[in-house]
Amino acid sequence: MKTVLMVAEKPSLAQSIAKILSRGNMSSRKGLNGVCSVHEYTGSFIGQSVHFKMTSVCGHVMTLDFIGKYNSWDKVDPAELFSKAPTEKKEANPKLTMVKFLQVEGRGCDCIVLWLDCDKEGENICFEVLDAVLPVMNKPRGTERTIYRAKFSSITDTDICNAMNHLGEPNRNEALSVDARQELDLRIGCAFTRFQTKYFQGKYGNLDSSLISFGPCQTPTLGFCVERHDKIQSFKPETYWVLQAKVNPEKENSLTLDWDRVRVFDREIAQMFLNITKMSKEAKVESVSKKEKVKQRPLALNTVEMLRVASAALGMGPQHAMQIAERLYTQGYISYPRTETTHYPENFDLKGCLRQQANNPYWAETVKALLAEGINRPRKGHDAGDHPPITPMRAATEAELGGDGWRLYEYITRHFIATVSADCKYLQTTIAFSIGPERFTCVGKLVTSPGFTEIMPWHSIPLEESLPHCEKGDLFPVGEIKLVEKQTSPPDYLTEAELITLMEKHGIGTDASIPVHINNICQRNYVTVESGRRLKPTNLGIVLVHGYYKIDAELVLPTIRSAVEKQLNLIALGKANYHQVLEHTLDIFKRKFHYFVDSIAGMDELMEVSFSPLAATGKPLSRCGKCHRFMKYIQAKPSRLHCSHCDDTYSLPQNGTIKLYKELRCPLDDFELVLWSSGSRGKSYPLCPYCYNHPPFRDMKKGMGCNECTHPTCQHSLSMLGIGQCVECENGVLVLDSTSGPKWKMACNKCNVIVHFFENAHKVRVSAETCDLCDAALVDVDFNKAKSPLPGDETQHSGCVFCDPVFQDLVELKHAAMRHPMHRGGQGKRQGRGRGKGRRPGGRLNPKKPKDKMAALAAYFV
């Protein structure tokens, strides 16, 4: 019997699809990576009985990155990233071991059916899966076809079974267009980001952003926000005057009239019009017109419109709204949420989708009426040839979806019902009046058929006072006529909804990437989200955009990226050559980059006005080992130390506090040590600012503190304070935190494991001797006589933290299930955070004991 491997994009989708195709008759097991499940069943495939294995990936299997040294900001000139720097595909998430998992499941399979999402990214993932699986699958006989692609838009029985009966092939061109976009964004983004980050962070101390990033889509997105900000700043309000008249057709009611001239900007002329009209005591009806007007029902819903409404009406950011929509899709509640199409295909089962909603108390009556009277065909929209518009696929309740999930689902459902409802019809009455020589108008609307506004009440025609019945020539007394002074007002900051509209109009990003670009400019601290989800640029965002305009406006204008998007779409359609588009675009940006580097002084002039130089920021903290003067600690992200005398800047570990470490100095370079701490419950370790940035030993990397330093005699180094291999991760060493007393602890120098021990001990020292059983360094502990927990009121004891029975109840682990790697078997395992259960070794893992503690630590370290 042949075996058919089927792969979906997410574990939840794999389960849903397998359930539908196997009719619930399947067996499931976890895969070797512990994240993806494998669902197996027997069924028929192209006329023969086969064994199906349905599994999934978790998004992209591979990601594009530079090789080796080109990932170092210090060793490589950013200009080399445009052409010289070779790239490679790496596993997107190495912890998931996705390639190995796919090969294990794909070994010995005869065919593969790809159930990845049906968009360009999905096609790209198809080929990532094929690259992993094809080498281990059975070779086809002759011209036998083995690769199939399922095309579907929703997780419903009908759609999934239909996709299985009409399998196609994956689209290589669409996958290539994604490859091209990835490489362009990587090379262009990294080159500009590295250059401007290093240049400006080396000069200014209060930029308040750890990364000054550039992105071919991200920067034009920021450009729109700053353009609006500039309009607001340059706006000069003007005073204007409006003539306001009220007539009294009936004694009780008055009618406010609109002036046909709308407004005038000259006070004297306005006063003249007021004087003329005041001479007339009556308003004469010049004409009465009645027209039946129609407010059209909405077009079917696509991604961009959904994101706009989510931001403007539901108060959800685009990224958050997209995540919720994806969840609703994977659970089968809505159709695929990434689509540019606003037109339903002729064969789409609109009635079937509508029937699903017939029992929901919120719209049951409207739906039943539509089904009884017959639905209207939705308006003809744009057909992008991707997926049908976003449609509710099954009924749901607020209890099922909860919170934001329900709010988005409710909007999608109401929008869908509105598309098959009737248009809203109303009667518009316009009465034209004359008061002296001046003309005034009054408009009234009366709804004759509410249509779709019943289900979307926020679109309904507002209730207005009914106009009086009158005919041409009728006269009404003028109740009041006055001059109202007003001022023109500036535009407001862009809302997310307006920004999404601008991005779509100018072709910046795709329906899938628009939320990502907006999220990026928020995270980089280029804009802040104000009330009403309005985007206000920060000082940094404004200066960057003005700098780009000053040097090369095309870096921030949408034109060049829009042209690139068109080229990428041509690759997807097979009308443009992948290599030529890549080469041509990179060549343009390479020239722009060189010009940008040569002209950076232009942006620097703007930066000088808004930000303080490094020498003027920060507080003196520790002494420089070169000049022995105080270096300043700059707290603004990214926190760093700056020596203004030597003009050197030293990066520090982030997301913690830095303070001086007892005025102790590094034996290698004479720099004063500083202590980094993540808080009383977290880790802390000393570090030398110079060694942290310039590793002194071969086996050290940039960004390592004293707890990873292999100096053989320094009292703060790993060699002197290392105790044993980490209880959880493979490469870490548990190092004594000598600053932690009296609540002593040791912490892993690689992961977040912390072991609390010997609370209230007077002194804890790491001995030069090692444990005979597990090779960990022995620990000497001194207690005060009054607080000693040692047996027989002893105050001193020397032993192994892991193996010594005296220490068993004095050791407590945080953040991990305790299991010492040196131990084997059942007794070595410990659950939870209880104290001292079975830490005795079940046997020796390594019969050859290292000669000394240094050799043992070096073995763990390397």
Side-chain angles (χ1 to χ4, degrees):
M1 188 186 281
K2 283 188 174 180
T3 304
V4 177
L5 178 68
M6 305 205 288
V7 184
E9 195 159 315
K10 293 185 185 78
S12 55
L13 277 176
Q15 186 180 3
S16 303
I17 294 168
K19 220 172 192 175
I20 292 168
L21 292 175
S22 68
R23 296 188 177 89
N25 189 19
M26 61 183 187
S27 63
S28 302
R29 59 181 168 84
K30 275 280 181 210
L32 68 86
N33 64 5
V35 176
C36 302
S37 295
V38 183
H39 312 282
E40 298 182 74
Y41 63 97
T42 305
S44 80
F45 182 72
I46 314 180
Q48 52 183 311
S49 184
V50 296
H51 177 68
F52 284 107
K53 282 168 86 172
M54 178 86 199
T55 188
S56 74
V57 290
C58 294
H60 274 283
V61 179
M62 310 301 282
T63 186
L64 191 72
D65 205 354
F66 296 113
I67 64 161
K69 72 165 190 176
Y70 290 96
N71 277 318
S72 166
W73 285 41
D74 300 314
K75 293 178 183 171
V76 177
D77 177 358
E80 290 183 35
L81 302 180
F82 284 98
S83 48
K84 283 185 188 173
T87 57
E88 62 177 343
K89 289 264 189 180
K90 295 178 181 173
E91 279 205 50
N93 190 340
K95 286 183 182 175
L96 293 179
T97 58
M98 197 58 76
V99 172
K100 187 180 176 186
F101 164 70
L102 288 170
Q103 288 177 342
V104 166
E105 298 303 336
R107 195 173 302 281
C109 289
D110 301 281
C111 297
I112 182 165
V113 181
L114 299 155
W115 288 87
L116 285 306
D117 288 352
C118 300
D119 57 10
K120 288 173 190 164
E121 296 288 338
E123 296 303 321
N124 190 263
I125 301 171
C126 281
F127 287 93
E128 292 174 356
V129 171
L130 291 174
D131 289 342
V133 169
L134 286 180
V136 298
M137 281 173 60
N138 294 338
K139 297 288 173 278
R141 298 178 198 140
T143 56
E144 189 183 13
R145 185 177 160 198
T146 57
I147 300 167
Y148 298 88
R149 174 74 164 112
K151 296 276 186 183
F152 58 101
S153 294
S154 62
I155 314 300
T156 58
D157 296 18
T158 316
D159 217 10
I160 296 300
C161 295
N162 196 35
M164 193 66 182
N165 295 332
H166 300 88
L167 295 171
E169 289 182 11
N171 187 324
R172 169 69 74 179
N173 290 327
E174 286 192 358
L176 280 175
S177 78
V178 173
D179 282 339
R181 179 182 280 109
Q182 282 179 353
E183 189 162 341
L184 287 174
D185 289 353
L186 176 73
R187 290 184 183 278
I188 297 165
C190 283
F192 278 92
T193 299
R194 286 186 193 182
F195 171 71
Q196 62 189 29
T197 301
K198 284 183 75 179
Y199 185 87
F200 291 121
Q201 282 186 350
K203 289 193 76 171
Y204 302 101
N206 56 344
L207 293 176
D208 206 25
S209 180
S210 49
L211 197 70
I212 303 172
S213 63
F214 174 93
C217 286
Q218 173 195 303
T219 306
T221 303
L222 174 62
F224 291 130
C225 300
V226 176
E227 186 186 5
R228 177 60 65 89
H229 167 83
D230 291 343
K231 280 182 183 170
I232 295 168
Q233 294 302 308
S234 61
F235 184 84
K236 289 189 174 67
E238 282 188 85
T239 307
Y240 65 89
W241 288 265
V242 176
L243 209 53
Q244 201 176 74
K246 285 184 179 178
V247 295
N248 299 331
E250 295 156 12
K251 282 182 184 176
E252 297 83 34
N253 298 336
S254 67
L255 205 60
T256 304
L257 310 183
D258 297 320
W259 191 22
D260 283 11
R261 291 185 195 272
V262 184
R263 60 187 180 182
V264 290
F265 287 88
D266 190 309
R267 169 78 207 229
E268 288 180 10
I269 292 172
Q271 188 64 47
M272 178 195 77
F273 285 127
L274 177 67
N275 295 340
I276 292 170
T277 49
K278 271 195 165 177
M279 292 164 72
S280 300
K281 299 292 178 204
E282 289 182 315
K284 183 183 177 186
V285 176
E286 294 292 336
S287 66
V288 179
S289 66
K290 292 191 179 187
K291 273 186 186 172
E292 192 168 84
K293 293 211 164 187
V294 171
K295 186 172 186 176
Q296 284 191 309
R297 59 192 181 277
L299 284 166
L301 188 65
N302 67 2
T303 308
V304 169
E305 181 61 21
M306 178 188 76
L307 295 177
R308 267 199 292 255
V309 173
S311 175
L314 306 179
M316 294 182 204
Q319 183 98 336
H320 179 52
M322 205 66 225
Q323 286 166 350
I324 292 169
E326 282 175 7
R327 196 183 78 224
L328 292 173
Y329 160 68
T330 54
Q331 291 171 342
Y333 289 108
I334 63 170
S335 63
Y336 193 59
R338 289 197 175 119
T339 176
E340 293 173 20
T341 296
T342 56
H343 177 72
Y344 280 106
E346 293 301 318
N347 60 354
F348 194 90
D349 185 12
L350 293 164
K351 278 190 179 172
C353 292
L354 199 58
R355 276 192 206 102
Q356 295 274 354
Q357 303 298 333
N359 295 320
N360 190 300
Y362 290 102
W363 43 74
E365 283 183 27
T366 310
V367 169
K368 283 171 184 169
L370 276 171
L371 289 168
E373 294 161 17
I375 62 169
N376 288 287
R377 264 301 308 159
R379 285 167 58 197
K380 190 169 173 58
H382 167 66
D383 186 0
D386 49 0
H387 287 270
I390 304 168
T391 310
M393 300 312 289
R394 68 175 226 235
T397 62
E398 192 169 353
E400 271 174 71
L401 304 180
D404 289 348
W406 166 254
R407 289 165 67 222
L408 190 63
Y409 173 83
E410 182 188 10
Y411 172 73
I412 290 166
T413 307
R414 285 183 182 275
H415 191 111
F416 167 68
I417 298 167
T419 60
V420 294
S421 299
D423 291 339
C424 170
K425 291 176 184 169
Y426 61 94
L427 191 67
Q428 182 170 300
T429 307
T430 308
I431 307 174
F433 290 91
S434 62
I435 304 175
E438 286 306 294
R439 291 294 188 106
F440 294 82
T441 311
C442 191
V443 178
K445 293 171 184 173
L446 182 69
V447 175
T448 54
S449 168
F452 77 93
T453 60
E454 281 188 333
I455 195 76
M456 295 176 98
W458 56 92
H459 280 304
S460 57
I461 305 293
L463 286 168
E464 294 176 356
E465 288 180 37
S466 56
L467 295 184
H469 180 72
C470 57
E471 290 175 8
K472 186 178 175 181
D474 286 356
L475 296 172
F476 295 116
V478 176
E480 176 188 29
I481 193 150
K482 63 180 180 182
L483 211 52
V484 180
E485 185 180 308
K486 294 185 178 182
Q487 271 196 331
T488 55
S489 55
D492 213 332
Y493 284 104
L494 281 179
T495 61
E496 282 171 336
E498 290 165 337
L499 180 59
I500 292 165
T501 305
L502 284 169
M503 291 173 76
E504 185 193 30
K505 179 183 170 186
H506 292 282
I508 299 297
T510 61
D511 53 1
S513 66
I514 282 173
V516 178
H517 302 313
I518 295 175
N519 192 48
N520 280 346
I521 63 171
C522 296
Q523 286 195 327
R524 298 279 183 267
N525 197 32
Y526 294 161
V527 299
T528 55
V529 182
E530 305 289 308
S531 64
R533 300 211 68 84
R534 293 190 179 274
L535 301 168
K536 185 178 179 181
T538 60
N539 229 353
L540 179 58
I542 295 162
V543 171
L544 278 176
V545 169
H546 289 175
Y548 294 133
Y549 270 120
K550 197 171 179 182
I551 297 169
D552 180 356
E554 282 192 332
L555 291 174
V556 75
L557 289 171
T559 44
I560 195 160
R561 181 61 193 192
S562 183
V564 171
E565 288 286 352
K566 282 175 186 163
Q567 291 295 314
L568 294 173
N569 283 333
L570 289 175
I571 294 174
L573 296 167
K575 294 178 182 176
N577 182 285
Y578 163 78
H579 295 288
Q580 286 175 351
V581 169
L582 209 56
E583 204 174 308
H584 175 66
T585 309
L586 286 173
D587 184 52
I588 290 170
F589 273 97
K590 187 178 180 181
R591 290 162 193 256
K592 286 185 173 296
F593 177 76
H594 284 297
Y595 182 70
F596 180 71
V597 171
D598 294 340
S599 315
I600 193 69
M603 189 184 274
D604 201 16
E605 286 168 9
L606 300 174
M607 285 279 189
E608 279 175 353
V609 177
S610 298
F611 300 104
S612 313
L614 276 176
T617 33
K619 296 174 184 173
L621 179 74
S622 66
R623 289 186 187 273
C624 168
K626 296 177 184 176
C627 66
H628 296 101
R629 288 177 169 85
F630 275 106
M631 297 191 291
K632 286 189 171 179
Y633 171 46
I634 295 147
Q635 272 185 293
K637 280 190 176 182
S639 56
R640 52 214 190 273
L641 284 168
H642 177 70
C643 176
S644 50
H645 185 262
C646 306
D647 198 21
D648 284 331
T649 305
Y650 301 98
S651 56
L652 295 168
Q654 302 298 306
N655 305 319
T657 57
I658 293 279
K659 59 185 180 187
L660 191 61
Y661 185 51
K662 303 177 185 173
E663 295 187 9
L664 296 168
R665 293 176 182 267
C666 173
L668 294 172
D669 48 47
D670 215 26
F671 273 72
E672 279 189 335
L673 302 182
V674 293
L675 184 75
W676 176 86
S677 171
S678 63
S680 57
R681 293 185 176 186
K683 291 200 317 187
S684 56
Y685 57 85
L687 63 113
C688 161
Y690 190 84
C691 295
Y692 188 82
N693 290 270
H694 307 93
F697 302 114
R698 265 189 194 170
D699 52 3
M700 287 179 69
K701 292 178 186 167
K702 187 176 175 178
M704 288 185 170
C706 298
N707 62 345
E708 294 184 77
C709 175
T710 49
H711 191 295
T713 58
C714 173
Q715 59 175 335
H716 316 292
S717 71
L718 169 71
S719 319
M720 301 301 277
L721 296 176
I723 292 175
Q725 191 177 341
C726 176
V727 296
E728 195 172 78
C729 69
E730 287 178 23
N731 304 321
V733 177
L734 290 167
V735 182
L736 173 68
D737 181 351
S738 52
T739 66
S740 59
K743 295 190 174 183
W744 297 92
K745 60 189 173 191
M746 57 179 175
C748 175
N749 58 8
K750 297 284 185 198
C751 70
N752 66 349
V753 165
I754 296 173
V755 178
H756 293 267
F757 53 12
F758 316 128
E759 192 169 337
N760 297 321
H762 174 58
K763 205 176 278 181
V764 177
R765 288 181 302 276
V766 181
S767 165
E769 296 173 29
T770 55
C771 173
D772 291 333
L773 290 168
C774 73
D775 294 332
L778 300 185
V779 178
D780 301 331
V781 187
D782 283 9
F783 279 100
N784 290 329
K785 197 160 191 179
K787 292 185 177 179
S788 176
L790 299 174
D793 287 337
E794 287 185 28
T795 57
Q796 293 183 329
H797 188 77
S798 184
C800 174
V801 171
F802 304 104
C803 309
D804 193 319
V806 175
F807 285 161
Q808 268 200 9
D809 289 331
L810 306 178
V811 179
E812 184 185 359
L813 179 82
K814 300 279 184 188
H815 305 317
M818 180 73 150
R819 183 165 187 209
H820 193 262
M822 291 294 179
H823 304 168
R824 263 202 209 143
Q827 268 209 313
K829 198 161 189 176
R830 172 182 170 201
Q831 298 298 325
R833 293 186 181 178
R835 288 178 173 266
K837 283 184 199 164
R839 237 178 261 100
R840 295 169 187 275
R844 289 279 302 281
L845 188 73
N846 182 4
K848 284 186 184 176
K849 189 180 172 191
K851 291 172 193 168
D852 59 9
K853 187 185 130 194
M854 272 300 294
L857 286 172
Y860 303 146
F861 189 84
V862 174

